[in-house]
Amino acid sequence: IHTHFLAEEYHANVALEFAKNSAGTWCNIPLQERLAFLKQAAKNVRDARKKLTGCMLQEVAKNIQEGDAEVSEAIDFIDYYVKEIENMAHANELFSAKKAALVLSPWNFPISIPTSGIASSLAAGYSVIFKPAPEAVLCGYLLADCFWKAGISKEVLQFITCKDDPIGSMLVKDERINTVILTG
């Protein structure tokens, strides 16, 4: 059992300002260092496998096999983005976005799908606001914590919970967000 705070318009605006301002700081970190943070995040997800799987059982009624497979997919997503970028020529110029992404995750895949959005955005130099589905807040928080423990700051990867409307809609429509990443 857990409780969480729901952001109001003021909090969403603060998050949007942080996202806008931290994008420049994040993308100025050399690409290889950003990728090293992501490699550590993948290790942290591996290490948190039991906790993440258990959380999915509790919050979204996945069984152990489904939860375990989803954690594996999340790790694969991080590894994929890291390897693909490492193999690209001129990746440093391509992946210095100085922009902000909003990652919205579904309740039924609370770990793998947001991991894909978070990892791809961070690898590309975006700062991220991550809003998990209301039904999977704890799963989302535990996932974000894997990235934070890897050294990615809470200013670069923000975690926000709010009602889908009006605050979630406000985030989606705000001009400080350059990319919105949904389910697929």
Side-chain angles (χ1 to χ4, degrees):
I1 298 177
H2 65 279
T3 60
H4 62 276
F5 170 84
L6 291 175
E8 297 292 337
E9 185 174 347
Y10 167 79
H11 306 105
N13 275 310
V14 169
L16 289 161
E17 276 305 303
F18 266 109
K20 179 182 166 190
N21 295 331
S22 64
T25 304
W26 175 246
C27 79
N28 286 333
I29 295 172
L31 180 61
Q32 290 307 313
E33 286 183 46
R34 291 196 319 255
L35 295 179
F37 286 129
L38 290 174
K39 289 176 185 178
Q40 182 60 49
K43 181 186 180 310
N44 294 348
V45 172
R46 274 185 202 90
D47 293 346
R49 177 181 294 278
K50 289 179 184 176
K51 186 183 284 189
L52 293 168
T53 301
C55 187
M56 285 186 278
L57 270 72
Q58 175 191 353
E59 274 196 317
V60 297
K62 289 207 178 230
N63 64 40
I64 292 172
Q65 293 81 10
E66 292 168 335
D68 187 65
E70 185 165 340
V71 172
S72 293
E73 186 176 24
I75 296 163
D76 289 347
F77 276 133
I78 299 170
D79 290 343
Y80 171 79
Y81 292 118
V82 169
K83 287 176 186 166
E84 286 299 308
I85 291 174
E86 286 177 332
N87 292 330
M88 290 181 164
H90 308 295
N92 222 16
E93 297 93 34
L94 292 173
F95 298 106
S96 295
K98 295 184 184 177
K99 295 181 180 179
L102 174 65
V103 175
L104 305 170
S105 66
W107 69 269
N108 57 337
F109 290 97
I111 301 297
S112 62
I113 289 176
T115 298
S116 178
I118 292 167
S120 62
S121 297
L122 291 171
Y126 284 67
S127 63
V128 176
I129 297 175
F130 169 37
K131 182 201 163 303
E135 302 86 356
V137 171
L138 183 58
C139 289
Y141 182 82
L142 294 175
L143 174 63
D145 194 50
C146 290
F147 286 89
W148 295 328
K149 286 180 178 173
I152 297 163
S153 76
K154 291 182 179 180
E155 288 79 23
V156 169
L157 172 58
Q158 296 181 75
F159 179 82
I160 190 168
T161 58
C162 60
K163 292 184 179 180
D164 289 337
D165 202 34
I167 306 304
S169 297
M170 180 189 114
L171 290 169
V172 169
K173 295 174 188 172
D174 196 279
E175 64 187 30
R176 292 168 284 190
I177 294 295
N178 302 99
T179 297
V180 177
I181 300 175
L182 302 167
T183 300

